Amino acid sequence: MNTPAAVGRAPYGPDGRGEKVVALVAHPDDAELLCYGTLRRAAQAGATVTVVVVTHGANGVSLADAADGRRLGTDERAEEVRAAWRLTGIQLTFLGMPDGALVADRHLISAVEAELTRLGCTLLITHSLHADTDHQDHRALAGAAANAATRVATCHTVLHGEPHAPRAAFAPAVLVDITEHLDDKVTALAAHRTQAGRWYLGKDYTHHRAAQAGWRLRPAAAEAGRAYESFETSVLTLFPQEDWS
């Protein structure tokens, strides 16, 4: 069984024990969009996997819904995250910051660094650094995460997931085969019922993006029907041997 790039002491081998994989995301549906299958693969390989959701997402309503008086509670979307990851063995942490106004300042950077240190993060997955049209919270958190990770001694690899923003300058170099988890990813995204109707959460888009990643970097495998999640990387350490315990 293949495992995510750099998961495990021999990063392309089957053993992820001892790895602490952290998906650090801005909003309650972001981890499912960016790296659902990758996290499932990491957990299967024996890694400890944690999703850290930075904001509560309560402002995640459309202008039309807001005009109709639709409001979300600060814990409503956290319940959707719990439903999406139920029975997967993946841990969840919620920082509860307001969404829509993240800034990569010392407060956010310090909060991120503290979480990565607390979790002993070895492999960090977060938003892309190269997506100018992406959500402002995604851009802020990507910068804060890349900054903080440089001071977390255990963090040997940082991956940046594919944004769903149009016209984003995203240039992936890392693929994770998620074929066996693609249907589960669709189900997990559907758990975000308060976001129903958003095109980027739908089955068609999810399948398209998973195929497109393969066609871009591994067309022969894509032709054979394999599905992928793709990532950029700001640091990739092969065969890490450090023991910081």
Side-chain angles (χ1 to χ4, degrees), residues 108-245:
L108 182 59
I109 293 169
S110 294
V112 167
E113 182 179 347
E115 278 301 301
L116 298 182
T117 301
R118 179 182 71 84
L119 294 168
C121 176
T122 60
L123 191 158
L124 171 63
I125 302 175
T126 191
H127 299 279
S128 174
L129 291 163
H130 304 116
D132 290 342
T133 59
D134 205 0
H135 193 291
Q136 67 272 16
D137 287 346
H138 298 174
R139 299 196 305 270
L141 187 57
N147 184 314
T150 65
R151 291 183 297 281
V152 178
T154 56
C155 190
H156 59 66
T157 294
V158 181
L159 301 180
H160 301 272
E162 181 179 2
H164 56 271
R167 301 177 298 283
F170 179 75
V174 178
L175 289 177
V176 178
D177 189 323
I178 65 160
T179 308
E180 67 179 288
H181 295 297
L182 184 58
D183 290 341
D184 286 345
K185 178 170 181 169
V186 171
T187 299
L189 289 167
H192 294 276
R193 299 184 184 281
T194 63
Q195 308 301 298
R198 297 184 186 269
W199 56 267
Y200 52 81
L201 297 176
K203 178 179 178 180
D204 289 347
Y205 177 74
T206 301
H207 279 257
H208 169 76
R209 187 159 76 156
Q212 179 182 354
W215 284 112
R216 185 171 188 171
L217 295 176
R218 292 196 65 201
E223 185 179 26
R226 307 309 295 179
Y228 296 93
E229 287 169 341
S230 61
F231 303 90
E232 299 168 318
T233 180
S234 53
V235 57
L236 176 65
T237 305
L238 299 181
F239 309 108
Q241 297 297 322
E242 300 97 335
D243 185 358
W244 301 95
S245 59

Side-chain angles (χ1 to χ4, degrees), residues 39-113:
L39 298 186
R40 292 290 304 275
R41 295 294 302 269
Q44 283 181 335
T48 300
V49 182
T50 305
V51 173
V52 178
V53 183
V54 173
T55 76
H56 50 58
N59 293 318
V61 295
S62 69
L63 293 177
D65 286 344
D68 287 340
R70 174 70 166 128
R71 297 291 183 272
L72 297 176
T74 56
D75 61 348
E76 193 169 348
R77 295 191 66 189
E79 288 303 312
E80 294 174 338
V81 176
R82 294 185 183 99
W85 295 98
R86 187 167 291 126
L87 303 178
T88 63
I90 290 171
Q91 302 172 15
L92 303 173
T93 297
F94 302 91
L95 301 188
M97 298 182 186
D99 55 310
L102 291 184
V103 178
D105 58 12
R106 65 185 179 88
H107 302 290
L108 182 59
I109 293 169
S110 294
V112 167
E113 182 179 347

